Amino acid sequence: MAAGNVNPFNVSDSEEEAEQRQDGADTERSPSDEAQGHSLGPFSPPAYSDPAALLSSNRTSPSVDGIPASAAAVSGIGAETRVSLDAIAAQLLRDQYILTALELHTELLEAGRELPRLRDYFSNPGNFERQSGTPPACKEQGVGPGGPLNRAGSISTLDSLDFARYSDDGNRESDERVAECEIASQERKNYKSSPETQEPIRPLEKRALNFLVNEYLLKNEYKLTSITFSDENDDQDFELWDDVGLNIPKPPDLLQLYRNCGNSQPLHRDNVDVAVSVDPSDLPGDYFTQEPVQQTDVIQQQQQQEVVQELEYQISLLNSEKQSLAEQIKKLQSDIQALQRNVSSEPTAGVKSTPSKENPKCDKPPLDNGQYLDIRGVTETDSSSDTTKTSTSTTIATDCTENSTTATQPHSKLKANGQQSKSSVQFDQPNRKLSPAFHQALLSFCRMSADSRLGSEVSRIADSEQSVMLMLGRCLPHIVPNVLLAKREELIPLILCTACLHPEPKERDQLLHILFNLIKRPDDEQRQMILTGCVAFAQHVGPTRVEAELLPQCWEQINHKYPERRLLVAEACGALAPYLPKEIRSSLVLSMLQQMLADDKADMVREAVVKSLGVIMGYIDDPDKYSQGFELMLLSLGDPSERVVSATHQVFIPAFAAWCTELGNLQSQLIPSLLTRIEKLLKQGEYGLDEHKLHMYLSALQSLIPSLFAVLLQNAPFTSRVKLQGDVPPIEVTRFPRPASPLQDVATIVGSREQLAVLLHLYDHQLQHEGTTGWDSLLWVVNQFLPQIIDIVGRINVTSSTCVHEFSRFFWRLCRTFGKIFTNTKVKPQFQEILRLSEENVDATAGNGILTKATVPIYATGVLTCYNQEEDRKLLVGFLEDVMTTLSLSHAPLDSLKASFVELGANPAYHELLLTVLWYGVVHTSALVRCTAARMFELLVKGVNETLVAQRVVPALITLSSDPEISVRISTIPAFGTIMETVTQKELLERVKMQLASFLEDPQYQDQHSLHMEIIKTFGRVGPNAEPRFRDEFVLPHLHKLALCNNQQTVESKRIDIATQLFEAYSALSCCFISEELMVNHFLPGLRCLRTDMEQLSPEHEVILSSMIKECEIKVENKAIGEAQGSISIAASLVGEDAKTKFLSKMGQLTTSGAMLANVFQRKK
């Protein structure tokens, strides 16, 4: 049999057969061989002893002085009876002497004589899967050769996975296989380092190990652990090896030491050549026949020494195993004594216990600790005393047998403690006289297995809380992988209860690892269940165990590849925050969340991180963490995901503001810091404002308004008079703006809605009757905060609708939160003082500068719209009329008024109000005001419904279009164009079309250069979006006429103005679909007229126009060719349609059945 093809577990040699073969080998030697061996004197080889024969079978002897080594085997004594190394290896592997086989494999490798059997065995990691606990004598328990072989990882399935070992991403499998392959070699080298024989660590050794451990933590990115480790060893400098105190260079790092510790280094021996001079006459005559025998004797001595060393090594292994078993015996004895103190003295299950004197030989303790009710066998008891004594002695003998061997016979014993036996279970005994041995043998035919892991668990019933926990700790890792993924959350209560109550830290850690790895990608409901369990665990075990057992599980999965697992970590940090030590809460957990917020790519994970950070802010009490919290707030607000920003406003900012309120930093640091950043942003944005950052800071201020108002209420002079009384009026539903979250509800901040009602009643009374003297928090808002924010408003760009909208929402929320009395007495006066709306203050030359700023739209839309009562609406109408009048009379830009109309026009509730303001302008005596009103209609038309346009807008515009002032009439043209662009009512469109036609065809407007400019500009703006009929029948023909008239224009400046506007209009209209007729009759002629003007006035425009004309001409030519081809296809299609019609008519005339209809399509034969 070839050695390379031999299965290590397929050798049929048993120990008895090996001994028989060895004895047979000894007896096969003839007496003459023995006599000859003895007659050789000191050079004769001794008889091969068993150990020597085991190790010397295939060794080659060295040659001496040119004599070949094969001469050593001349005698051939016992060569046929030696056992081969392959057979020895097979026997070792079969009996599970793995360390001995590994030693043999190592020695053969060093000698260059590798056995394929051992090489194949030790190179297969599957041979070492979970075999570390298999005893060498497993073959006696009925286990197959080599013990229970587990399948390799490559063919592992769900039912065979060790859940605590293999994670979902499979990263740990290969690492643990490598570790298990190294177990065998490491155990041999470390057997002398057992706790009983190991010396206590020396100070210098401890410092050296500390240095290497810290270096390992830093290299592998365990920075927080390294920091904690350094804090615990503050007497050592981990940056300098010299600080350790050893006068040796720094050793390799921990990883290199670990990798090298299992490599056996061969001893280097120096070879020396020695020459000796010997006189041949001094040698005996038979020297050359004795020399090979002498060499064989030397080899035998060396082999015996090796056998002795191997036996000594096995003795040391057995001694270490004996010590560990002795410890287990001591532990089991202590457990038995503890249980015996708790167990009552009643007999169990009718079996009388025999004193130890009756069986002095059986003094070994049982393998189990008495905590389980063993149902593997019930000893038959008889009513008579003789039978009882016999069965009892049989039970004791069986117990002793179980102590000495691991082969347990079923139905062998029954043990129960006092708690189980209070009812003294009795069994009916048969009136038979069978021997107990016969009973035992008879019951052995009942197929029950207690030799497997599961059988062992099933055969023992736990009878105490601790034993239940131990059983669950052993069974759950095997149960979890076989439960359906969709139902694994059902195991959470079992895992948590076991993790809470299990006495072993390693088992608890394994169970919590299973909990966090229970589901590959847990959904929202499953995560909630796990988090609920974690909170219950934390409430049960306290902060120390939460820090030591739960937090490491979170830290392990902080970089998991599945976002659902990282989401679980982020949510767990917030849920566990109340149950952690405050130092860990404000350091480790805060750092973990900060890292995830900065590094995680999943929006939902960062959203959960922000919410957990908000929870942390609600429990943190270290004032030094304020700056870190502020930076976290800015980082969260700047996140690109809307989900994260929304969570910041809903959770983090209110929690952070509550902490700042306790620190007294809300008014002194937090709000001023945001205002300073806004001012800095405005200074840097003179040539381009970063609107995103402005929105970020302003939205943060807006979220701080409820907290600021709560500070005012809680620090008011009337707080000492607060009493919950029944006559306090309830809070109106619309008193406060709708909060973004419950944390921004003022009632939640101050404590309750009843408390808030009392405070609001006293607040309004204080403002209206008693004043603000001594009210520092309110005076800060009035004297510092409001003036600063109003000044900022005056510096923003009024044309930026985004900025205007943001500040408008901010002031609206501020005024609604602080109340109507505060708005009327504190906010409005400051705006009115700045705006100064009286006409006496208007500079007719330069205009009032402040009225052109964003202060006007923000005051109108953010302050005056807070309350919607009649007097408030009148105030808003009056303000807008005054602004329109003032800006018109001062010839100032209308951007601020336009911004007000755009912001208010977005809300349909203000359309009637705006139309009222514009009608005031329509009937105003000043033409400037009427012009402004006409231009404002253009902004309002887009948002107003068509009914209002027909009833209010168009009549006002027609009134203005007949105004005596030509400038007023011209100002209505953009509004008419916008109506043509947005309205769909034909009657309305016809009225507007007639009005525009009158502007173009009335002789009085033929020389109105500004009117023509406004019409051409309007046509270019609304033409692409207007009704195609209006564009084809009205816009293009009139543009052609205007281009033709411009060729006869004598004033060059007017000609270039018209030509430029025509160029813009034609460029916009060139993107529209234009029919061939319009293209030939109007569009191309108009472009050619325009090119004539541009050749003289603007050559660069002329080049573009030439290309446009050429492109249009190509389109016309292609259409002509396409139509010619299309006529042919149309004719063909007509023929086809005719044939189809005839066919269908014939089919329609058929009134026969389906069978006859089918015959129509059959071919005639």
Side-chain angles (χ1 to χ4, degrees):
M1 180 184 296
N5 298 326
V6 174
N7 188 335
F9 302 105
N10 199 21
V11 178
S12 60
D13 297 338
S14 63
E15 293 178 353
E16 294 80 1
E17 293 173 347
E19 292 175 358
Q20 290 174 3
R21 283 198 304 271
Q22 189 65 38
D23 295 339
D26 294 336
T27 56
E28 285 176 4
R29 298 176 187 175
S30 63
S32 60
D33 293 336
E34 293 179 1
Q36 182 181 359
H38 288 292
S39 65
L40 294 177
F43 298 101
S44 63
Y48 289 104
S49 61
D50 291 345
L54 291 177
L55 296 176
S56 63
S57 60
N58 291 328
R59 293 186 182 272
T60 57
S61 301
S63 58
V64 180
D65 294 337
I67 300 175
S70 60
V74 171
S75 61
I77 298 175
E80 294 81 11
T81 63
R82 295 181 183 178
V83 180
S84 66
L85 287 177
D86 187 73
I88 295 172
Q91 187 70 21
L92 291 175
L93 294 177
R94 180 189 175 191
D95 293 342
Q96 288 288 294
Y97 295 117
I98 304 300
L99 292 178
T100 308
L102 179 64
E103 180 66 21
L104 176 60
H105 180 52
T106 305
E107 292 184 353
L108 291 176
L109 279 178
E110 293 176 355
R113 301 170 58 203
E114 182 181 20
L115 277 180
R117 181 190 302 276
L118 294 177
R119 178 196 63 201
D120 295 341
Y121 181 82
F122 288 109
S123 62
N124 182 10
N127 294 328
F128 304 99
E129 296 251 345
R130 289 176 289 198
Q131 291 189 10
S132 59
T134 305
C138 62
K139 68 183 182 66
E140 298 176 7
Q141 301 179 7
V143 183
L149 281 181
N150 295 307
R151 65 188 70 188
S154 60
I155 58 173
S156 293
T157 53
L158 182 63
D159 59 346
S160 65
L161 288 177
D162 186 351
F163 189 82
R165 174 175 299 168
Y166 300 101
S167 63
D168 289 327
D169 51 4
N171 292 335
R172 301 177 58 186
E173 182 176 354
S174 60
D175 298 340
E176 296 210 9
R177 285 186 179 178
V178 173
E180 287 178 341
C181 290
E182 294 172 355
I183 287 175
S185 61
Q186 291 299 320
E187 284 185 354
R188 178 184 174 187
K189 296 182 179 299
N190 298 332
Y191 77 95
K192 293 183 180 180
S193 301
S194 59
E196 294 82 359
T197 60
Q198 189 174 7
E199 298 180 4
I201 189 170
R202 299 170 184 170
L204 289 178
E205 291 175 342
K206 181 178 180 182
R207 294 174 67 86
L209 288 175
N210 287 347
F211 184 89
L212 294 176
V213 169
N214 184 72
E215 181 185 38
Y216 166 77
L217 293 174
L218 289 175
K219 285 184 178 180
N220 290 275
E221 299 299 328
Y222 298 110
K223 295 182 180 179
L224 296 176
T225 310
S226 172
I227 293 173
T228 306
F229 188 71
S230 301
D231 293 340
E232 293 176 348
N233 297 276
D234 53 357
D235 59 337
Q236 185 173 350
D237 185 3
F238 288 106
E239 295 182 0
L240 295 175
W241 166 255
D242 295 338
D243 184 68
V244 173
L246 293 174
N247 294 325
I248 58 173
K250 188 178 83 66
D253 58 15
L254 209 57
L255 179 61
Q256 195 66 29
L257 290 175
Y258 172 74
R259 289 175 175 172
N260 294 337
C261 65
N263 298 334
S264 58
Q265 301 294 335
L267 297 176
H268 297 284
R269 299 177 180 177
D270 296 334
N271 297 326
V272 180
D273 296 330
V274 180
V276 193
S277 176
V278 181
D279 189 357
S281 61
D282 296 337
L283 296 175
D286 56 348
Y287 171 76
F288 291 101
T289 60
Q290 295 179 1
E291 187 174 6
V293 179
Q294 184 178 4
Q295 295 295 331
T296 305
D297 185 47
V298 174
I299 294 172
Q300 291 292 337
Q301 292 178 0
Q302 293 177 354
Q303 292 174 349
Q304 289 177 356
Q305 292 177 358
E306 292 175 355
V307 171
V308 170
Q309 293 176 358
E310 179 66 23
L311 293 176
E312 288 177 352
Y313 166 67
Q314 292 184 8
I315 291 172
S316 63
L317 285 180
L318 292 174
N319 287 332
S320 62
E321 185 178 359
K322 176 183 176 182
Q323 291 175 356
S324 63
L325 291 175
E327 287 182 357
Q328 294 181 11
I329 290 172
K330 292 179 182 178
K331 182 178 179 181
L332 293 173
Q333 286 176 344
S334 62
D335 292 340
I336 291 173
Q337 293 174 1
L339 286 171
Q340 287 176 348
R341 288 194 295 268
N342 298 328
V343 174
S344 61
S345 59
E346 296 180 6
T348 32
V351 179
K352 297 181 181 180
S353 60
T354 306
S356 59
K357 293 181 181 179
E358 296 181 8
N359 191 12
K361 297 181 181 179
C362 182
D363 54 355
K364 293 183 180 180
L367 290 178
D368 55 1
N369 56 9
Q371 291 183 347
Y372 299 94
L373 178 63
D374 199 327
I375 62 172
R376 285 176 287 182
V378 179
T379 304
E380 295 291 338
T381 59
D382 196 78
S383 57
S384 63
S385 60
D386 296 337
T387 308
T388 304
K389 291 180 181 179
T390 305
S391 62
T392 306
S393 63
T394 304
T395 304
I396 296 172
T398 306
D399 290 340
C400 295
T401 304
E402 288 174 353
N403 290 335
S404 59
T405 64
T406 58
T408 304
Q409 297 294 332
H411 303 284
S412 61
K413 60 181 179 178
L414 172 65
K415 294 192 296 181
N417 60 14
Q419 295 177 357
Q420 286 283 347
S421 61
K422 287 182 179 180
S423 60
S424 186
V425 180
Q426 298 288 341
F427 297 100
D428 293 336
Q429 303 298 330
N431 189 14
R432 302 290 300 276
K433 296 183 179 180
L434 298 178
S435 67
F438 187 85
H439 269 290
Q440 195 73 18
L442 184 62
L443 290 175
S444 66
F445 287 94
C446 297
R447 299 180 60 85
M448 296 193 307
S449 173
D451 297 329
S452 63
R453 179 195 62 80
L454 186 58
S456 176
E457 296 292 347
V458 172
S459 64
R460 297 187 294 180
I461 296 179
D463 59 350
S464 67
E465 293 181 1
Q466 184 177 9
S467 58
V468 171
M469 290 302 107
L470 292 173
M471 181 269 294
L472 288 174
R474 292 190 302 270
C475 293
L476 278 174
H478 302 279
I479 296 173
V480 170
N482 299 298
V483 178
L484 291 175
L485 288 173
K487 296 296 182 182
R488 283 190 180 175
E489 62 267 20
E490 301 292 339
L491 293 171
I492 293 176
L494 278 178
I495 296 173
L496 283 168
C497 289
T498 309
C500 282
L501 303 176
H502 203 284
E504 294 295 330
K506 290 184 179 180
E507 294 293 330
R508 295 199 302 265
D509 180 73
Q510 182 185 15
L511 290 168
L512 292 175
H513 181 77
I514 291 176
L515 176 66
F516 274 82
N517 293 273
L518 190 62
I519 303 167
K520 188 175 184 180
R521 306 182 78 160
D523 57 24
D524 187 58
E525 185 177 354
Q526 291 167 337
R527 289 196 308 274
Q528 289 181 11
M529 289 298 102
I530 295 175
L531 291 176
T532 304
C534 289
V535 171
F537 178 88
Q539 292 173 341
H540 187 273
V541 302
T544 304
R545 279 184 59 182
V546 174
E547 175 190 355
E549 297 177 13
L550 270 183
L551 270 189
Q553 303 298 335
C554 295
W555 183 256
E556 283 181 6
Q557 306 211 15
I558 195 173
N559 292 316
H560 200 278
K561 66 178 181 179
Y562 292 129
E564 291 85 357
R565 301 282 280 275
R566 304 197 301 273
L567 181 59
L568 177 62
V569 173
E571 292 172 342
C573 288
L576 296 175
Y579 311 103
L580 288 168
K582 61 180 181 179
E583 299 84 4
I584 297 298
R585 189 188 300 144
S586 58
S587 58
L588 178 61
V589 179
L590 193 62
S591 301
M592 287 171 58
L593 292 173
Q594 184 174 9
Q595 177 183 340
M596 295 182 72
L597 180 63
D599 299 341
D600 206 292
K601 296 180 180 179
D603 295 349
M604 61 178 181
V605 177
R606 298 198 304 276
E607 179 187 12
V609 166
V610 168
K611 292 180 180 179
S612 294
L613 282 171
V615 177
I616 294 293
M617 290 299 143
Y619 285 91
I620 200 169
D621 55 2
D622 184 2
D624 296 335
K625 298 294 181 180
Y626 165 79
S627 58
Q628 187 177 359
F630 185 77
E631 294 301 326
L632 285 172
M633 182 186 73
L634 297 182
L635 181 63
S636 305
L637 288 171
D639 195 276
S641 172
E642 282 295 329
R643 298 176 58 177
V644 179
V645 176
S646 177
T648 305
H649 289 292
Q650 293 175 3
V651 183
F652 183 84
I653 291 181
F656 186 57
W659 184 38
C660 292
T661 301
E662 296 180 16
L663 296 176
N665 292 344
L666 184 65
Q667 294 178 317
S668 61
Q669 293 188 34
L670 182 55
I671 295 178
S673 299
L674 292 173
L675 291 175
T676 303
R677 279 170 166 75
I678 293 176
E679 290 179 338
K680 186 178 179 181
L681 200 63
L682 293 174
K683 291 179 182 179
Q684 296 174 350
E686 294 179 358
Y687 302 101
L689 180 64
D690 189 347
E691 294 185 355
H692 175 70
K693 282 191 175 181
L694 181 64
H695 166 72
M696 185 176 78
Y697 297 143
L698 198 58
S699 62
L701 278 177
Q702 185 171 322
S703 297
L704 291 173
I705 290 175
S707 300
L708 181 61
F709 184 64
V711 169
L712 263 64
L713 295 179
Q714 293 169 347
N715 296 327
F718 51 76
T719 50
S720 59
R721 308 196 303 268
V722 174
K723 293 181 180 179
L724 293 178
Q725 300 173 354
D727 56 350
V728 177
I731 305 172
E732 297 179 4
V733 178
T734 60
R735 169 61 180 83
F736 291 100
R738 186 176 181 178
S741 74
L743 295 177
Q744 289 192 13
D745 190 351
V746 182
T748 304
I749 298 174
V750 300
S752 66
R753 200 158 184 84
E754 294 76 14
Q755 181 83 3
L756 179 60
V758 175
L759 290 172
L760 284 178
H761 179 71
L762 296 174
Y763 168 79
D764 292 338
H765 183 271
Q766 182 82 20
L767 285 178
Q768 197 166 8
H769 300 289
E770 300 183 17
T772 59
T773 305
W775 199 346
D776 295 337
S777 55
L778 181 69
L779 291 175
W780 178 86
V781 174
V782 175
N783 299 330
Q784 297 185 38
F785 178 66
L786 279 177
Q788 189 174 1
I789 197 72
I790 292 173
D791 179 66
I792 290 173
V793 164
R795 285 186 279 166
I796 68 172
N797 186 4
V798 69
T799 60
S800 173
S801 59
T802 303
C803 295
V804 171
H805 178 75
E806 292 292 336
F807 276 97
S808 173
R809 294 298 89 195
F810 171 79
F811 273 99
W812 184 87
R813 204 169 192 87
L814 178 73
C815 295
R816 286 297 300 269
T817 303
F818 280 73
K820 189 171 184 178
I821 299 175
F822 181 87
T823 302
N824 293 334
T825 60
K826 306 299 179 185
V827 180
K828 289 181 180 178
Q830 295 198 31
F831 273 100
Q832 293 169 357
E833 182 182 357
I834 294 174
L835 293 173
R836 296 189 299 274
L837 293 175
S838 60
E839 295 189 10
E840 291 79 7
N841 295 330
V842 174
D843 188 350
T845 58
N848 192 349
I850 192 64
L851 292 181
T852 63
K853 303 293 185 183
T855 310
V856 170
I858 290 171
Y859 175 59
T861 61
V863 178
L864 297 180
T865 60
C866 288
Y867 301 96
N868 203 22
Q869 297 179 0
E870 187 62 29
E871 61 271 14
D872 302 309
R873 296 176 69 87
K874 288 182 179 179
L875 186 61
L876 177 59
V877 170
F879 174 73
L880 291 175
E881 292 174 352
D882 292 343
V883 170
M884 182 171 63
T885 304
T886 306
L887 291 177
S888 301
L889 296 178
S890 59
H891 299 278
L894 302 177
D895 293 333
S896 59
L897 187 63
K898 290 180 179 178
S900 303
F901 270 73
V902 169
E903 186 70 22
L904 290 172
N907 188 352
Y910 293 105
H911 288 172
E912 284 282 356
L913 184 146
L914 294 175
L915 288 172
T916 303
V917 174
L918 291 182
W919 185 253
Y920 166 82
V922 169
V923 299
H924 200 276
T925 57
S926 172
L928 296 173
V929 179
R930 296 199 298 273
C931 285
T932 301
R935 294 192 178 279
M936 291 299 109
F937 275 112
E938 177 190 357
L939 301 174
L940 194 59
V941 166
K942 293 182 179 181
V944 177
N945 61 64
E946 294 189 3
T947 303
L948 279 179
V949 171
Q951 295 176 358
R952 303 284 301 274
V953 178
V954 173
L957 287 174
I958 291 177
T959 301
L960 291 174
S961 64
S962 59
D963 194 270
E965 291 291 334
I966 187 66
S967 60
V968 177
R969 283 177 265 171
I970 294 173
S971 300
T972 61
I973 294 175
F976 281 124
T978 304
I979 292 174
M980 296 299 299
E981 185 182 12
T982 57
V983 175
T984 59
Q985 293 183 14
K986 292 184 178 180
E987 298 174 356
L988 201 58
L989 291 175
E990 286 297 327
R991 293 178 63 185
V992 174
K993 183 179 176 182
M994 290 174 58
Q995 185 61 47
L996 290 175
S998 67
F999 285 141
L1000 290 167
E1001 298 171 1
D1002 195 331
Q1004 64 174 329
Y1005 300 120
Q1006 288 183 357
D1007 297 331
Q1008 291 297 327
H1009 175 72
S1010 57
L1011 184 141
H1012 293 160
M1013 289 278 293
E1014 196 67 47
I1015 286 181
I1016 297 171
K1017 184 178 179 181
T1018 302
F1019 282 173
R1021 176 172 57 86
V1022 305
N1025 302 319
E1027 186 184 9
R1029 182 183 174 188
F1030 172 72
R1031 181 176 62 244
D1032 296 341
E1033 297 179 0
F1034 189 82
V1035 175
L1036 290 176
H1038 283 94
L1039 282 178
H1040 180 202
K1041 291 179 182 179
L1042 290 171
L1044 191 59
C1045 293
N1046 198 48
N1047 290 147
Q1048 285 81 37
Q1049 179 63 254
T1050 57
V1051 181
E1052 186 175 347
S1053 60
K1054 293 182 179 181
R1055 187 179 179 187
I1056 187 63
D1057 290 342
I1058 295 292
T1060 304
Q1061 289 299 329
L1062 284 171
F1063 178 81
E1064 297 293 336
Y1066 274 111
S1067 299
L1069 291 169
S1070 64
C1071 301
C1072 304
F1073 173 77
I1074 301 173
S1075 64
E1076 181 185 2
E1077 182 182 357
L1078 286 172
M1079 185 74 72
V1080 174
N1081 296 333
H1082 296 294
F1083 196 78
L1084 275 174
L1087 285 177
R1088 293 188 182 103
C1089 292
L1090 182 58
R1091 183 175 61 177
T1092 302
D1093 292 334
M1094 291 301 183
E1095 285 176 353
Q1096 304 175 10
L1097 303 174
S1098 179
E1100 62 273 11
H1101 287 82
E1102 187 269 336
V1103 176
I1104 300 174
L1105 284 170
S1106 298
S1107 64
M1108 290 174 63
I1109 292 170
K1110 186 176 181 180
E1111 185 178 351
C1112 291
E1113 291 174 346
I1114 292 173
K1115 287 182 180 180
V1116 173
E1117 293 176 0
N1118 291 338
K1119 284 183 180 180
I1121 297 172
E1123 287 179 359
Q1125 296 176 349
S1127 62
I1128 300 173
S1129 62
I1130 289 172
S1133 64
L1134 288 175
V1135 174
E1137 288 291 331
D1138 185 50
K1140 180 180 178 183
T1141 304
K1142 290 181 180 180
F1143 174 77
L1144 291 177
S1145 65
K1146 292 292 184 184
M1147 293 291 292
Q1149 294 173 4
L1150 292 174
T1151 57
T1152 57
S1153 64
M1156 295 179 64
L1157 181 64
N1159 295 330
V1160 175
F1161 299 97
Q1162 289 183 357
R1163 186 176 60 180
K1164 292 182 180 181
K1165 296 182 180 178

